[in-house]
Amino acid sequence: MSKRKPLRGKGEDFDFEFGGAKQWLNYAQKNAEAAESGPPSRREEEAQVQDTPNSGYLVPLDEPSTDLGPRPVPQVQQPRATAQASQSNRSQHSTFPVEPNSAPAEGFQRVRRRTVPDISGPSHAAQYVASTSNGLPSIREMDRRRGFGYFPEELILDNEATRRMKSGAEADDTYNFSMFFPNGFKAKFYGNREINLRYISWKTNTWVAPSAEDIHIVDMWGTEKDIEEAKEDLYALGKISLQSLSQGVSRAREKFGKNKAAPTAIEAERIQKYQALDQKQAYFKTLPEDTSTFPVVGVFSWPVNDINPQTALGKGLEALDPIRMDHECHIDFNRADEAIYVYGMKPVDVQTALDRIFGALCEIATMNRCLGPTTTRFHITVPPSSEVVKSHVKLDQDHNLVGRQITVKLNNIGVQCTLNGLKPTANSLREWEEDRIRIIKANAVFFRKIVQRGLEDTLFLRTQVHMKVNFGKLVLFGYQKQSSPDGHDLKKFLAMMRDNHVQSEMIRYIGPDSVARELIHTCRLREDIFHPLHMVGPTVEGRPERLYSATFELKLTDGTISTAMRLECDFGPEEIIGGKRLHLATSNCWLNIPRHGRQYKSQNDNEGAYKRKGPLDVKVLDLGKDMAWQLEISSYSRLKEAEQYSTLMGFVSHLRLETPTPTAADRGTEPRPVMNFINLHDGATQMTVESVVVKSKYQWFISTTPYIFEVIRYDQYAFLGVEQTPQGVAASVRDKIPDSRWGASLTSRDWTDSMGSQWNLPFGRPGRWKYDVAEFFKPTNVGGIDDPFIDGRPAPRPEWEKDGFLEFQGRIEECLELIVRAQKDAKRREEIVMMGVHEDDMD
């Protein structure tokens, strides 16, 4: 026999096509010589195989036997297969080399035989190997086959990993191939009789098999190097399976059609439709030489000095093609007249086209203003009351919020603002009270004005828009140096906060865990006011309130180009999968992180790449309550075609959130949810996780109003690099310590309903809601939290019935007062505990 090319890790001195030791070879040869002359016929062999019980399974042979009867099979756990030979890795005239084994072979599995391509073989009957009565193949038949190029196709050979698995050893590693696999994925991934896993096992000298505990996990036996190679093959196999399912390809001829085949009737109709659209678009993009034939001409004066239309809309105003097509008009820009001309046949179409061009200008102006350093950011300071007012405001660098999830990237730790100094005299207090009333009225007028402008700017944005009021602590990063050790004079500090150069960050932090527990406990007790938003999720004290969501900051790298992206996911109710409490992603939204546009070039913007920019950002500092709140309208460009990218959808399909079962050590706290994800790599394309924030939300409606009060725990895991999550392998944040903190917020269901569809607006179209403050903030005819009840709800306040914006401001003050009250109660409980009284003994 010619010398064969050895496979990796296999011996080349083993010259037998069937695995086993030499003693079994000699024994089988002796039995064959002692048998009757000539091999049994094919029909007799087939009958003998069919009559043998469990002929398709491994039959361990304790000792040589010439018993012609059926052999009972011991009740031992045996795998369906251990490996499959790949023809692409062997030469045409080579047999299947295996690793020599000095130990006696335990058995074999009956297999099919296949002809090597491009080699003429014997008759059809010769393709079936005759076997002797003891189950071993006939040596004569094997000698006859040696010259005809036949070899076993699915020969089963036990390697070291297979023997360890059979001996009951635990798996050396696992692979989580998919959490949300579609219908049909399992069949394509495993293959018929798990033939794909068998091939990977043979190729990598491992044993790979589905886990008996979880259908999403594959157990693996072998060395660390071989397992890593098998994981690469499993990842490639899963990717091919998903692509095959997404394309709907089940056979090769369905995937590769005939190039010169005539299109079907449906294809011809579709091609004709696309050609007609292309012709129509080309017609309206070309301006006729004689424009005097158009009965209607519209003129739009464009501010060329502020915004160059050929830079913002394209050299030929290609961004206005949807307007051309929808209203069947020609649009041309005349730089000499600084105007855009619209030529059409109907006055309605021309007027609508002019309105949409105006909407396009508003969107461009809003985006440029949002990307500016200070034009949409404002600071308002609430003057303290006479009971708590002091002469100075101290800028304290020694605070507990250093480096806590800040978005401003500056080389300082920031300062917190607290009242300091002596209490003013009686005359000074009277003057201060007059000034305080005047400042409060001015703040109210200014706040209404900037909110009105923010709503107007948001009306034309085609982005993902969120409006929310967040509560926490204000940290200044850009400020004037204090003039004395006591700090700034109170009036000087108020003047400084009105300066546009002040930079700050509103950190969503209301206090330690005790404050959050006190606040949640208060909302649960006030069942007449606070109603759970979603009746799903884990039940706590009979009130299912907690929901989970997550925000990922990712980097997509393609060669030398990197793109920062953002993913927002909501998770559904708890499910028990594989003995674990898991939450599956129910919705996701891919967003672009804002960057500077072409029209605006920043000069002194010191913020980093993760800056939050939107149409409105108002931070209000309440010195008397030592708290702050922020009204923010955030805006992110949404990736509408995210579902078409397999890399993005593959990342979402592997997301799962695990909630550990509470233990005795978790008394008084809640177990932290564990996020599992993967980093994906596809050649030069890589997507890695920079940070992830897991949010545990408690949400309540305030009485019968659309206002929603939230208590949220933020767990941020920052800078999870690619080196920590190998290719295609599930990563977990279980062993990482997050930046955990509690925050609170106020939002409204009406705001979500109004602004939630902004991202899907046609180009130049405004939102389908009224942007006037009086119309946007509608009165609810429901009083405050502590107002007396009438007909099952708080009695309405006269001032709120006339002005919904005043009610909105009142709701903010109520929520802020609720948080301050929880802080005081938590502090009182801690003092009682220090005195030796346990929390369970308190009211």
Side-chain angles (χ1 to χ4, degrees), residues 159-172 221-222:
N159 54 24
E160 181 64 23
T162 308
R163 289 191 289 269
R164 292 185 59 253
M165 182 276 300
K166 291 180 179 180
S167 64
E170 295 183 357
D172 299 322
W221 287 262

Side-chain angles (χ1 to χ4, degrees), residues 490-621:
L490 180 57
K491 293 185 178 180
K492 183 179 179 180
F493 176 81
L494 297 178
M496 181 195 73
M497 293 298 293
R498 292 193 292 268
D499 195 296
N500 290 333
H501 293 87
V502 173
Q503 295 186 15
S504 66
E505 170 77 8
M506 212 293 299
I507 300 179
R508 303 175 187 179
Y509 177 77
I510 61 175
D513 294 350
S514 58
V515 176
R517 291 197 302 267
E518 193 70 34
L519 188 58
I520 295 173
H521 180 68
T522 301
C523 294
R524 286 172 176 167
L525 291 179
R526 297 292 305 273
E527 294 184 353
D528 52 345
I529 295 293
F530 297 99
H531 309 300
L533 180 61
H534 299 287
M535 300 300 292
V536 295
T539 301
V540 182
E541 297 183 7
R543 300 292 299 276
E545 301 152 346
R546 186 169 66 248
L547 293 178
Y548 295 102
S549 64
T551 301
F552 291 84
E553 300 286 353
L554 306 105
K555 180 181 292 185
L556 183 63
T557 305
D558 188 0
T560 58
I561 303 175
S562 297
T563 303
M565 306 177 65
R566 181 185 180 97
L567 172 63
E568 296 181 353
C569 285
D570 292 329
F571 293 88
E574 179 182 290
E575 299 181 15
I576 305 299
I577 301 177
K580 299 180 180 179
R581 302 166 58 189
L582 300 179
H583 298 262
L584 310 183
T586 56
S587 62
N588 63 87
C589 181
W590 288 93
L591 308 170
N592 277 327
I593 293 180
R595 296 181 299 176
H596 292 304
R598 297 179 179 178
Q599 298 299 319
Y600 173 76
K601 300 299 181 182
S602 175
Q603 300 295 333
N604 298 312
D605 187 8
N606 293 322
E607 295 194 359
Y610 298 104
K611 52 185 173 292
R612 302 179 64 88
K613 296 295 182 67
L616 184 62
D617 182 6
V618 184
K619 302 181 182 72
V620 181
L621 174 62

Side-chain angles (χ1 to χ4, degrees), residues 442-463:
N443 286 346
V445 174
F446 179 68
F447 183 61
R448 182 186 291 265
K449 180 180 179 180
I450 58 179
V451 171
Q452 177 65 58
R453 198 183 82 172
L455 294 177
E456 293 175 358
D457 290 343
T458 308
L459 188 66
F460 290 94
L461 286 179
R462 294 178 299 117
T463 57

Side-chain angles (χ1 to χ4, degrees), residues 619-630:
K619 302 181 182 72
V620 181
L621 174 62
D622 195 326
L623 290 172
K625 297 177 181 178
D626 194 20
M627 286 289 295
W629 54 271
Q630 175 189 27

